[in-house]
């Protein structure tokens, strides 16, 4: 806890921490300080000079409030508190002068600028600027720069605040941007004509206070006042980033981050931000029934009757259900209840074959498959071990949090077992597979000693380690290692499973897993090939070889015409994650509410409503008629789903022996669960922007390898 000092701001006394900047101190006193270069999460540059204030007893000139701390202030006569002024004639004249300088070269293109209506320069010119300029010289022009398929540049508008350079260097961890030349010739550039190689480039648009960096896919699409804004939750990965979905009519036109200190701070990853064009392409907007080998459009009545008749005619032991990565908790609950009413134990949500949650019916073992440390608490870690994961591709926001820890704590040690990748921070490469994990458990090597001596050690196990045949043994070995080094105690749990699917943790919480004698995901596929399974209900699972379902009658319920729809006999068109109110549980077990931002296209319906209608036709009517009743039943089944935006349930002590299953581990190296960050789900694969990003980034990686 830092010491405090009493200061005066515009005559009002206030006590503030001495390590605050004068700008932060003035804002704590309720005064608004204009700024362009200063950003709370970036280092101080002090180069726009818009935040000038007057310090009594200081030099007879304005002071840049972002670049001086409270502890640097000298007391007044007889020990009186230092005094700051934000509204004196000196300050007003200084700010007008700075604004006049900034606008010397700024073009007058507000009517065609995408930043219009959300522009810091516009707002502050209105509030703090003069009514005219004394400069009649020609404005300078700057050549446009190529920063990749996501960022549109109009560098003539740039005011050289260097926020983008600092974000790229500090938060994203790439050295692709910089300021070159001096004086009138200064400009921000990528040095070489290349894309900014990061999964966080969209945040450059947010940090830019003018219209120099804007969204290329969104360019000239809409004005901010035309859009209906809805706060929701991202479903592109398992982090659960808080987002704002901006829609006009039925069309989503933009996705922006919402501040959440515990999850994504004020950033979001590029796939979360730019996937919106995939929401309107390759959509399923009407039911389809396969006739004579071809899928033909049908009415809801016909499609539901076909499925109901087939379901009633199929023995329960030959019926199975699969849940995909984007399935919301409500839909999983409805499907589980329908399958339970029919009496089949064959259901699974782990389409990658991950060996987790095997005994999830006993509700005390959630911590066996959660990111227990919590995303925000990673900043307290002093040793981090990554096992079979590439967090930069699987969860960019968690990777950014690890980088933040690495930047702020010079003593932190990071080790990696798995594929060697550029993670944007330094780490010790320990080995490729389970043999290295076993040697760490035996206390071999300097990293094992670092783990044992750590105050807050963290072990992060990825799906690349758990989706193998020996995944249960790997999970058990990692849990025992965490227990052995003291990573699990009353005030700290350093054992973490990093999920890649937004719907997975909610499905595990609800126990959407094989019942007694039930088949797992891969066994259901084997059963279809062996003609042991005759009916499969596929709730949005697309990340497997759908041809293996050909031996069964397949119902696909989803939003996009991807792999699952290709091999279906009946298709039920469903709403996407922005088109229905739903609960998603992130990798740390935090239940969050996604709100409907737009209505689904055509005849598509909400996931749970489709299953409720089908249950009626089958004669196994589900006991809820509205979302409230469904959620009550869901929370009774899994109480954690009712604790919105909370983590940690006070479960029993974590038992490492009950985590996974002891057994022999294969020595084959771990391979990351995500091969291409930009194309991991049906919505992303339908997006032209994501396809372009994938092509550009894979080309950049090939060039780097050569």
């Amino acid at each position: 806890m830092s010491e405090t000092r009493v200061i005066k701001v515009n005559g009002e006394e206030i006590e503030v921490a001495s390590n605050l900047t004068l700008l932060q101190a003035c804002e704590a006193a309720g005064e608004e300080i204009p700024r362009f270069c200063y950003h709370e999460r970036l280092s101080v540059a002090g180069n726009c000079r818009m935040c000038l204030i007057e310090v009594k007893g200081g030099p007879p000139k304005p002071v840049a409030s972002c670049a001086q701390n409270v502890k640097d202030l000298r007391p007044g006569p007889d020990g009186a508190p230092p005094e700051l002024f934000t509204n004196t004639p000196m300050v007003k004249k200084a700010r007008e002068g700075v604004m006049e300088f900034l606008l010397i070269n700024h073009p007058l293109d507000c009517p065609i600028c995408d930043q219009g209506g959300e522009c810091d320069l516009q707002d502050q010119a209105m509030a703090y600027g003069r009514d005219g300029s004394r400069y009649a010289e020609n404005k300078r022009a700057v050549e446009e720069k190529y920063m990749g398929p996501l960022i549109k540049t109009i560098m003539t508008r740039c005011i050289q605040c260097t926020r983008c350079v600092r974000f790229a260097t500090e938060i994203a961890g790439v050295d692709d941007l910089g300021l070159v030349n001096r004086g009138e010739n200064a400009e921000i550039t990528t040095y070489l004509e290349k894309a900014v190689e990061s999964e966080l480039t969209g945040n450059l648009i947010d940090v830019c206070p003018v219209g120099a960096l804007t969204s290329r896919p969104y360019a000239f699409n809409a004005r901010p006042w035309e859009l209906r804004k809805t706060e929701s939750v991202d479903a592109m990965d398992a982090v659960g980033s808080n987002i704002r979905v901006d829609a006009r009519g039925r069309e989503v036109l933009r996705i922006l981050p919402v501040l959440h200190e515990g999850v994504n701070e004020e950033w979001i990853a590029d796939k979360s931000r730019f996937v919106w064009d995939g929401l309107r392409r390759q959509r399923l907007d009407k039911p389809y029934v396969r006739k004579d080998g071809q899928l033909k459009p049908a009415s809801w009545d016909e499609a539901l009757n076909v499925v109901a008749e087939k379901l009633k005619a199929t023995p329960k032991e030959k019926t199975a259900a699969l849940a995909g990565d984007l399935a919301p908790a409500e839909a999983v609950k409805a499907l589980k209840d329908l399958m339970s009413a029919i009496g089949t134990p064959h259901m699974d949500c782990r389409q990658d074959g991950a060996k987790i949650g095997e005994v999830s019916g006993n509700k005390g073992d959630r911590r066996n498959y959660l990111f227990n440390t919590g995303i925000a608490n990673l900043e307290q870690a002093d040793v981090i071990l990554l096992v079979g994961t590439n967090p930069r591709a699987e969860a960019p926001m968690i990777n950014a949090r690890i980088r933040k820890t690495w930047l702020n704590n010079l003593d932190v040690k990071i080790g990696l077992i798995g594929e060697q990748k550029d993670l944007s921070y330094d780490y010790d490469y320990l080995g490729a597979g389970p043999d290295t994990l076993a040697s760490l458990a035996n206390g071999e090597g300097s990293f094992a000693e670092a783990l044992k001596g750590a105050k807050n050690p963290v072990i992060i196990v990825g799906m690349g380690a758990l989706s193998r045949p020996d995944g249960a043994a790997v999970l058990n070995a990692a849990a025992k290692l965490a227990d052995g080094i003291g990573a699990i105690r009353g005030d700290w749990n350093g054992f973490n499973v990093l999920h890649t699917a937004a719907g997975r943790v909610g499905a595990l919480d609800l126990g959407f897993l094989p019942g007694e004698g039930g088949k797992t995901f891969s066994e259901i596929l084997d059963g279809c090939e062996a003609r042991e399974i005759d009916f499969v209900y596929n709730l949005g699972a697309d990340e497997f070889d759908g041809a293996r379902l050909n031996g069964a009658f397949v119902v696909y319920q989803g939003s996009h015409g991807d792999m699952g729809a290709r091999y279906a006999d009946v298709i039920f068109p469903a709403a996407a994650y922005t088109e229905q109110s739903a609960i998603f549980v992130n990798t740390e077990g935090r239940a969050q509410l996604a709100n409907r931002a737009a209505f689904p296209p055509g005849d598509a319906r909400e996931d749970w409503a489709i299953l409720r209608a089908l249950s009626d036709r089958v004669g196994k009517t589900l006991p809820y008629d509205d979302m409230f009743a469904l959620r009550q039943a869901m929370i009774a089944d899994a109480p954690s789903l009712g604790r919105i935006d909370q983590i940690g349930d006070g479960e029993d002590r974590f038992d490492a022996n009950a985590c996974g299953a002891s057994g022999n581990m294969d020595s084959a190296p771990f391979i990351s669960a995500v091969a291409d960050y930009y194309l991991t789900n049906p919505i992303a694969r339908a997006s032209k922007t994501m396809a372009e990003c994938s092509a550009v980034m894979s080309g950049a990686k090939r060039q780097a390898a050569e």
Side-chain angles (χ1 to χ4, degrees):
M1 188 83 179
S2 61
E3 60 182 66
T4 60
R5 282 191 68 178
V6 175
I7 62 171
K8 275 187 170 183
V9 179
N10 294 341
E12 296 280 328
E13 276 198 13
I14 181 173
E15 189 174 357
V16 294
S18 60
N19 62 349
L20 292 187
T21 62
L22 302 188
L23 186 151
Q24 291 169 316
C26 290
E27 297 212 323
E31 298 295 334
E32 182 183 312
I33 305 293
R35 85 290 296 268
F36 292 112
C37 69
Y38 177 80
H39 191 284
E40 288 80 356
R41 298 185 198 276
L42 302 176
S43 60
V44 173
N47 55 7
C48 78
R49 318 311 281 181
M50 194 64 206
C51 64
L52 295 172
I53 63 170
E54 184 179 344
V55 177
K56 186 175 181 181
K61 61 178 184 178
V63 171
S65 59
C66 71
Q68 188 172 338
N69 286 7
V70 171
K71 63 187 174 190
D72 300 326
L73 293 173
R74 291 182 299 179
D78 303 321
E83 290 197 55
L84 311 179
F85 298 97
T86 67
N87 52 12
T88 60
M90 179 206 281
V91 172
K92 184 174 184 295
K93 184 180 178 185
R95 288 177 182 169
E96 287 177 353
V98 169
M99 183 59 72
E100 196 174 356
F101 273 124
L102 287 173
L103 295 175
I104 290 172
N105 286 314
H106 197 79
L108 301 173
D109 56 1
C110 297
I112 59 152
C113 177
D114 268 318
Q115 200 81 351
E118 301 171 311
C119 177
D120 290 354
L121 189 62
Q122 269 185 344
D123 296 343
Q124 292 183 40
M126 282 290 293
Y128 304 103
R130 288 164 53 93
D131 59 354
S133 174
R134 290 169 285 181
Y135 289 86
E137 288 78 12
N138 289 332
K139 293 179 182 284
R140 76 165 188 165
V142 181
E143 223 174 86
E144 306 308 354
K145 309 292 186 296
Y146 174 73
M147 291 191 184
L150 303 176
I151 308 291
K152 179 186 175 191
T153 64
I154 301 92
M155 299 312 290
T156 301
R157 299 174 185 158
C158 178
I159 60 170
Q160 284 90 43
C161 70
T162 69
R163 275 191 189 180
C164 56
V165 177
R166 285 174 285 146
F167 175 86
T169 308
E170 296 164 19
I171 311 285
V174 293
D175 294 325
D176 291 342
L177 289 178
L179 181 73
V180 296
N181 304 328
R182 301 179 70 179
E184 193 185 4
N185 298 317
E187 54 184 285
I188 303 286
T189 175
T190 52
Y191 305 116
L192 304 171
E193 201 74 355
K194 66 188 282 293
V196 179
E197 290 175 36
S198 170
E199 299 75 28
L200 305 175
T201 54
N203 297 294
L204 295 172
I205 299 163
D206 291 342
V207 297
C208 182
V210 295
L213 305 179
T214 55
S215 169
R216 190 183 288 273
Y218 173 71
F220 307 129
N221 266 0
R223 285 300 194 185
W225 51 86
E226 297 178 78
L227 303 173
R228 187 177 62 255
K229 302 164 181 69
T230 309
E231 291 196 3
S232 189
V233 176
D234 173 52
M236 292 299 105
D237 55 29
V239 175
S241 297
N242 283 226
I243 58 172
R244 193 186 87 194
V245 183
D246 290 359
R248 184 174 57 192
R250 282 179 175 245
E251 205 171 21
V252 173
L253 292 178
R254 188 168 65 166
I255 294 174
L256 297 174
V258 167
L259 176 69
H260 192 305
E261 293 291 355
V263 182
N264 57 303
E265 297 183 298
E266 61 187 78
W267 320 117
I268 51 171
D270 286 348
K271 188 164 53 175
S272 309
R273 184 188 294 264
F274 293 106
V275 79
W276 50 266
D277 68 319
L279 289 166
R280 57 173 179 254
R281 291 194 175 90
Q282 290 185 260
R283 287 304 301 267
L284 299 172
D285 59 356
K286 56 174 76 74
Y288 288 86
V289 175
R290 194 175 291 277
K291 298 174 184 172
D292 304 323
Q294 286 194 321
L295 286 166
K296 302 283 178 68
S299 67
W300 268 111
D301 205 47
E302 181 189 352
L304 286 168
N305 283 336
V306 167
V307 174
E309 292 305 315
K310 184 68 180 176
L311 198 48
K312 285 192 274 191
T314 306
K316 63 184 179 183
E317 61 274 5
K318 292 197 167 192
T319 302
L322 310 173
D325 292 348
L326 300 179
E330 290 84 354
V332 172
K333 167 67 175 165
L335 182 56
K336 184 193 174 194
D337 286 355
L338 179 58
M339 290 298 124
S340 299
I342 290 165
T344 177
H346 309 313
M347 60 181 101
D348 203 350
C349 62
R350 304 162 301 181
Q351 61 177 321
D352 54 6
K355 307 298 185 291
I356 44 175
E358 251 77 6
V359 287
S360 188
N362 317 323
K363 289 290 184 288
D365 63 343
R366 283 187 87 216
R367 290 195 282 181
N368 292 358
Y369 56 79
L370 292 184
F371 199 92
N372 295 296
T373 302
I375 296 169
N377 291 336
L378 282 175
E379 294 179 35
Q380 300 171 33
D382 46 5
V383 177
I384 300 172
L385 174 64
L386 304 172
V387 181
T389 180
N390 172 10
R392 185 167 174 181
E394 295 168 26
M397 296 319 307
I398 288 180
N399 196 64
R401 194 74 79 143
I402 296 173
R403 176 174 167 80
K404 184 179 179 184
T405 306
W406 174 76
L407 276 178
N408 295 342
N409 180 1
L410 298 176
D411 299 325
V412 73
K413 284 179 73 73
I414 302 172
L416 172 69
I417 303 174
E419 286 185 280
Q420 242 181 315
K421 299 279 187 182
D422 176 9
L423 298 181
S424 77
Y425 43 80
D426 296 336
Y427 58 83
D428 297 331
Y429 182 64
L430 306 175
D435 294 346
T436 309
L437 185 61
S439 69
L440 280 179
N442 294 331
E444 298 171 19
S446 60
F447 200 85
E449 291 173 20
L451 279 169
K452 279 186 181 169
K455 183 187 173 195
N456 293 329
V458 166
I459 296 175
I460 300 175
V461 187
M463 290 298 119
L466 302 180
S467 55
R468 304 154 34 115
D470 63 346
V474 174
L475 184 66
N476 187 255
K480 284 181 176 172
L481 172 61
D483 204 26
I485 60 173
I488 300 151
R489 54 180 194 266
D491 62 335
W492 182 262
N493 188 335
F495 178 73
N496 302 285
V497 173
L498 179 55
H499 289 270
T500 55
R504 179 74 53 85
V505 176
L508 291 172
D509 285 347
L510 288 163
F512 196 88
L513 293 161
E516 196 173 331
K519 296 180 186 293
T520 63
F521 204 101
S522 58
E523 288 167 348
I524 290 170
L525 300 184
D526 293 339
C528 292
E529 291 178 322
R531 299 294 195 271
E532 293 169 6
I533 298 287
D534 289 342
F535 182 99
V536 175
Y537 200 103
N538 180 357
L539 180 62
D542 293 274
E543 316 305 321
F544 67 98
D545 182 7
R548 297 187 63 194
L549 294 171
N550 275 343
F553 182 89
V554 180
V555 179
Y556 177 75
Q557 178 177 322
S559 60
H560 283 69
D562 207 74
M563 186 285 307
R566 196 176 310 142
Y567 295 100
D569 295 288
V570 175
I571 294 173
F572 290 153
Y577 72 104
T578 57
E579 297 160 358
Q580 57 185 325
S581 177
I583 287 175
F584 287 98
V585 187
N586 78 346
T587 189
E588 53 182 354
R590 185 191 300 268
Q592 297 187 104
L593 195 60
N595 294 307
R596 182 173 62 199
F599 286 94
D603 291 334
R605 295 291 181 267
E606 292 186 3
D607 280 302
W608 77 273
I610 297 170
L611 288 154
R612 170 64 178 76
L614 177 62
S615 71
D616 220 14
R617 306 286 175 112
V618 179
K620 306 281 186 185
T621 305
L622 295 175
Y624 27 80
D625 298 328
D626 54 37
M627 182 70 83
F628 179 77
L630 168 56
R631 284 189 176 148
Q632 292 296 100
M634 196 168 74
I635 291 165
D637 208 16
S640 58
L641 293 174
R643 292 189 279 270
I644 299 297
D645 202 27
Q646 295 177 35
I647 56 172
D649 307 330
E651 301 105 330
D652 298 333
R653 188 181 182 282
F654 180 82
D655 183 5
N657 293 312
C659 196
S662 55
N664 294 324
M665 295 186 287
D666 188 349
S667 58
F670 296 133
I671 296 176
S672 171
V674 174
D676 188 334
Y677 164 71
Y678 296 100
L679 304 174
T680 55
N681 61 57
I683 302 174
R685 288 190 287 273
S687 163
K688 284 174 70 175
T689 305
M690 292 298 102
E692 197 176 341
C693 287
S694 176
V696 168
M697 293 307 171
S698 57
K701 283 173 188 167
R702 276 198 304 274
Q703 281 183 340
E706 290 164 6

